[in-house]
Amino acid sequence: MPSRKLSGKPEELAAFIDKFDIFLFDCDGVLWQGKALLPRTVETLAHLRNLGKHLLFVTNNSTKSRATYQKTLQDFGIPCDVNEIFCSAYSSAIYISRVLQLPRDKKVYVIGESGIEEELAAEGITYIGDDGGDITPEDYDSFGPDEDVGVVLCGLDRAISYRKLARAYQYLRNPETVFLATNIDSTFPTHGKLFPGAGAISAPLICMTGRTPVSLGKPSQAMMDAIEGVLKFDKKRACMVGDRLDTDIRFGIEGGLGGTLAVLTGVSTEEEILEEGAAAVPDVYLDRLCDILG
Ligand SMILES: O=C(O)[C@H](O)[C@H](O)COP(=O)(O)O
Ligand SMILES: [Mg+2]
């Protein structure tokens, strides 16, 4: 069934909204781009809350923790509870502690930012990183496999370096060391353009090792497991709202949600939504989230 653009008719928009009790919102490219809110985001979310709808924020961006996202949302004028927020740093920490059950004497080598470190710490997981400085002659001698490193976890790292990758590669030469990615989005939408995404950070490690990481962000249902570990909801009365077909919309479809809504303010384009063989086909789409206000 091809996707269709929701019309601006108030009755059609109201009928669409009435089909759901809960909306799962992707963040980058839906609510904001970088530090800039997209038009009427606050008004749109307030409108849905006033209609009694529950809102969840479900982001693949691992640079911030849930707590930091809560402050970000509140600073944007979007009141929320931390238990309404799910990020790939959180789904990764939950996976490592409760699914993988990494022994407490093992540690995680992190390529990424503070969001990952904070969520690992919250789950009591020991981690190490790398300051990202220039690789030194001593490094060439000292870097090597380390049996205490049970996991290499890679996410968006805007200070990536040769040294960080070199260290991760040495750890991953041990086949016992688990290779995880918070998410593998190829690009990151910000400032109206696309920049390297988390997938571009883990790609060199895939190239070097020939290993593919288990990704814990959308479309992986590890993110849905993390959500359902916090709250149960009627999936058939839930709608996923996203800007990326291969993450958000696929996540909603494969998660068995009642509906999917794509918006064109992030990564995916109208052409990609309508083309044969689209990565995933949203039920409906809009130019901007706020167009749901009519
Ligand atoms: O590269 C990334 O990590 C992603 O582009 C980014 O974080 C996506 O975040 P989301 O759209 O899921 O909020
Ligand atoms: Mg997005």
Side-chain angles (χ1 to χ4, degrees):
M1 178 86 162
S3 188
R4 65 184 175 82
K5 193 170 192 176
L6 274 178
S7 75
K9 294 194 188 94
E11 61 274 18
E12 184 180 10
L13 296 171
F16 178 77
I17 292 171
D18 286 351
K19 288 165 54 178
F20 308 106
D21 300 329
I22 184 169
F23 288 82
L24 285 70
F25 284 102
D26 172 58
C27 298
D28 289 324
V30 173
L31 306 180
W32 54 65
Q33 280 224 9
K35 296 189 185 319
L37 271 181
L38 287 163
R40 302 175 69 191
T41 293
V42 176
E43 183 185 347
T44 305
L45 299 182
H47 173 70
L48 292 171
R49 282 206 200 276
N50 291 338
L51 292 175
K53 307 302 179 183
H54 295 286
L55 310 185
L56 298 183
F57 303 96
V58 186
T59 178
N60 271 6
N61 191 317
S62 62
T63 63
K64 296 186 182 79
S65 64
R66 299 169 80 205
T68 305
Y69 264 115
Q70 181 183 30
K71 184 174 182 324
T72 302
L73 284 155
Q74 289 171 341
D75 289 350
F76 271 137
I78 303 167
C80 61
D81 184 279
V82 71
N83 284 326
E84 294 173 323
I85 302 165
F86 298 88
C87 56
S88 60
Y90 176 71
S91 59
S92 298
I94 293 296
Y95 179 85
I96 292 169
S97 69
R98 304 182 199 179
V99 179
L100 205 58
Q101 296 185 344
L102 183 71
R104 290 296 170 184
D105 62 344
K106 298 287 186 185
K107 52 196 172 190
V108 176
Y109 173 65
V110 174
I111 290 184
E113 300 185 21
S114 60
I116 299 176
E117 296 172 350
E118 290 166 24
E119 294 294 353
L120 290 177
E123 281 293 308
I125 298 165
T126 307
Y127 63 86
I128 56 172
D130 183 288
D131 65 15
D134 294 341
I135 195 163
T136 67
E138 295 72 25
D139 293 335
Y140 288 110
D141 292 326
S142 65
F143 282 5
D146 179 342
E147 63 183 21
D148 291 338
V149 174
V151 171
V152 168
L153 175 62
C154 187
L156 183 58
D157 184 339
R158 291 165 290 188
I160 189 64
S161 72
Y162 183 86
R163 188 169 187 266
K164 288 183 179 181
L165 293 169
R167 186 192 285 273
Y169 173 64
Q170 290 301 327
Y171 294 144
L172 290 170
R173 285 176 56 212
N174 175 359
E176 299 295 308
T177 300
V178 178
F179 185 14
L180 302 177
T182 59
N183 59 304
I184 49 173
D185 297 52
S186 55
T187 54
F188 171 49
T190 189
H191 293 74
K193 293 176 273 188
L194 297 179
F195 289 84
I201 305 300
S202 53
L205 296 176
I206 297 170
C207 173
M208 287 190 276
T209 63
R211 297 175 64 179
T212 300
V214 171
S215 173
L216 287 314
K218 298 166 289 182
S220 164
Q221 294 304 308
M223 180 69 95
M224 192 69 78
D225 295 342
I227 295 170
E228 293 190 287
V230 173
L231 78 152
K232 299 295 183 201
F233 61 96
D234 180 356
K235 290 185 174 180
K236 287 303 173 201
R237 297 283 299 167
C239 180
M240 180 74 210
V241 185
D243 68 293
R244 265 196 98 111
L245 298 179
D246 62 353
T247 56
D248 307 316
I249 304 304
R250 193 174 148 203
F251 174 74
I253 293 168
E254 294 180 355
L257 300 191
T260 52
L261 164 64
V263 293
L264 304 178
T265 45
V267 175
S268 294
T269 66
E270 186 170 34
E271 295 70 29
E272 288 165 342
I273 289 173
L274 297 175
E275 72 184 1
E276 278 293 307
V281 181
D283 295 316
V284 293
Y285 66 96
L286 288 168
D287 289 326
R288 308 173 308 172
L289 173 62
C290 63
D291 294 345
I292 205 165
L293 293 171

